[in-house]
Amino acid sequence: MATITPPPDGVYVPVPTFFRSLDQSAYKQPLDLTAQTEHTLFLAEAGITGLVLCGSTGEAVHMTLGERAELISSQKRALLEKGFDKVVILAGTASQNIEETVSVIAESKAAGADYALVLTPSYFASAGGYSEEGMRAWYTTVADSSPLPVLVYNYPAVTNNLQLSLGLMKHLSKHHNIVGCKLSHGNMSHHLILSSSPEIDHNGFRVFTGLGQQLLPLMLSGPGSGGAIDGSAAYFPRTLLRIFALAKKIAAGRASPAEWSEAQELQCAYSEVEEWVVKHGTVGIKEGIKQVLGISVGQDGGRLPFCETHVRREYDRFRNIFETMQDFENKLKRDI
């Protein structure tokens, strides 16, 4: 049996899915693979480690299973054609039942994905329908059957505020086919413990934060910290990559005082721009892509019931913060 390894440490971007405007006659908003590919290649050229396709930001819950596979295969093909064969693809699953989850993973693998980012099932969470034993069995069964290595995706904001316990996460970390997790919540204690606990093999289980605004402190929290899977990197990738690189030097004790200062300055500015995503989520990320990169996100932005109209009206309140970050981004691009 081949050795199963975690995804490489680094910066991953949970990319939004691009749609064309609503076709009233067909009641559809078709995929816009041209815009999708333009954005994918921008990120690859900036040096990001990987993409998350069909995740929460990617509106997987608004897509058919066939569209998910089409999206992955088109972007994999575009990356390979341009020589970006090292860019890793994590595929979101976003399904409640085991059979469909495993089926989505299998289709994602066939389309070109390298890892599965498995969102916690949550439909009955607010009704008290889930036990620790049940969640353990659900994830274990998925991992046993998954044709791709699995990362546990803990995102309480989209799972009825269900947060997986430390005991459960430690147990799952020992599964041979579970190679890491994405923590999209602000509980820094959980990140520190899962990154540092002697009960976990940190070579086989990497902890990624879903919050780029916390990357610097979380990279210093323990040997299991793998990096970030963050939305603002969709338009400011070089800044987060620089924070990651500086954080690694700091954690290794090799950073100069000037590098410490640079890391703090960049993290502060990046955290400021992240407040836009905190407030507006997926549609905010799409508006950021439109404003910063000039890539079309379609008349409607997201797929209905998402609608960006209110977000576009608010962008001016954040414009100065975005322009400050763009200055950092431009300088980093020149310095390469």
Side-chain angles (χ1 to χ4, degrees):
M1 179 183 294
T3 302
I4 299 173
T5 59
D9 290 358
V11 171
Y12 294 76
V13 182
V15 295
T17 300
F18 295 85
F19 302 105
R20 297 200 295 274
S21 297
L22 177 66
D23 179 352
Q24 291 283 1
S25 64
Y27 305 103
K28 278 191 75 169
Q29 291 165 280
L31 296 175
D32 186 345
L33 297 180
T34 300
Q36 194 82 48
T37 299
E38 182 181 359
H39 186 237
T40 289
L41 295 180
F42 161 77
L43 294 173
E45 288 163 1
I48 54 95
T49 312
L51 307 173
V52 175
L53 297 174
C54 308
S56 302
T57 301
E59 296 181 64
V61 294
H62 293 164
M63 299 166 67
T64 68
L65 298 184
E67 286 176 323
R68 296 191 202 184
E70 181 184 6
L71 182 72
I72 293 169
S73 63
S74 69
Q75 299 314 292
K76 180 72 169 186
R77 185 166 56 251
L79 288 167
L80 292 177
E81 286 175 354
K82 294 295 184 179
F84 295 113
D85 57 303
K86 296 292 191 292
V87 175
V88 178
I89 293 180
L90 281 62
T93 61
S95 179
Q96 297 291 307
N97 71 76
I98 291 170
E99 184 177 2
E100 184 173 77
T101 301
V102 174
S103 176
V104 170
I105 295 171
E107 290 184 14
S108 299
K109 179 181 181 180
D114 303 294
Y115 294 88
L117 186 63
V118 179
L119 185 67
T120 304
S122 59
Y123 186 86
F124 291 106
S126 62
Y130 297 129
S131 65
E132 183 118 342
E133 181 182 7
M135 295 301 294
R136 177 184 297 186
W138 190 92
Y139 264 113
T140 298
T141 305
V142 168
D144 284 344
S145 306
S146 173
L148 287 176
V150 167
L151 285 85
V152 176
Y153 185 14
N154 191 3
Y155 187 9
V158 299
T159 55
N160 271 321
N161 293 315
L162 181 63
Q163 182 159 310
L164 303 182
S165 72
L166 286 171
L168 176 57
M169 294 296 291
K170 289 178 182 178
H171 176 85
L172 294 176
S173 74
K174 301 182 190 311
H175 193 287
H176 73 281
N177 202 31
I178 296 179
V179 295
C181 63
K182 177 187 178 187
L183 304 182
S184 291
H185 57 68
N187 192 330
M188 295 182 71
S189 177
H190 277 214
H191 196 294
L192 185 151
I193 292 168
L194 293 175
S195 298
S196 304
S197 172
E199 300 173 56
I200 295 175
D201 173 11
H202 300 297
N203 292 320
F205 186 86
R206 308 301 290 166
V207 181
F208 294 88
T209 177
L211 304 174
Q213 59 266 51
Q214 297 178 347
L215 179 59
L216 178 59
L218 293 178
M219 282 296 293
L220 306 182
S221 67
S225 296
I229 303 173
D230 176 72
S232 291
Y235 31 86
F236 295 133
R238 290 179 177 84
T239 304
L240 200 59
L241 283 163
R242 179 60 178 164
I243 294 170
F244 174 76
L246 289 168
K248 284 182 65 178
K249 289 190 73 172
I250 293 168
R254 295 185 288 103
S256 67
E259 287 172 324
W260 257 107
S261 295
E262 182 188 358
Q264 291 168 328
E265 181 182 22
L266 289 177
Q267 183 66 82
C268 180
Y270 198 88
S271 298
E272 290 266 20
V273 85
E274 284 275 39
E275 290 299 304
W276 170 259
V277 179
V278 170
K279 185 170 184 179
H280 296 297
T282 296
V283 292
I285 292 171
K286 285 193 168 183
E287 183 64 16
I289 290 171
K290 178 183 177 182
Q291 295 283 349
V292 176
L293 304 180
I295 297 175
S296 172
V297 296
Q299 179 180 340
D300 309 296
R303 205 169 235 181
L304 293 173
F306 273 165
C307 181
E308 283 191 342
T309 306
H310 67 294
V311 176
R312 290 169 184 161
R313 288 196 296 263
E314 290 210 16
Y315 182 79
D316 281 344
R317 295 179 55 234
F318 283 80
R319 188 177 297 277
N320 289 341
I321 295 171
F322 270 77
E323 289 176 351
T324 296
M325 182 56 62
Q326 187 64 65
D327 289 341
F328 284 121
E329 196 79 3
N330 291 340
K331 181 178 185 302
L332 288 167
K333 185 176 182 179
R334 289 194 301 270
D335 289 346
I336 292 176

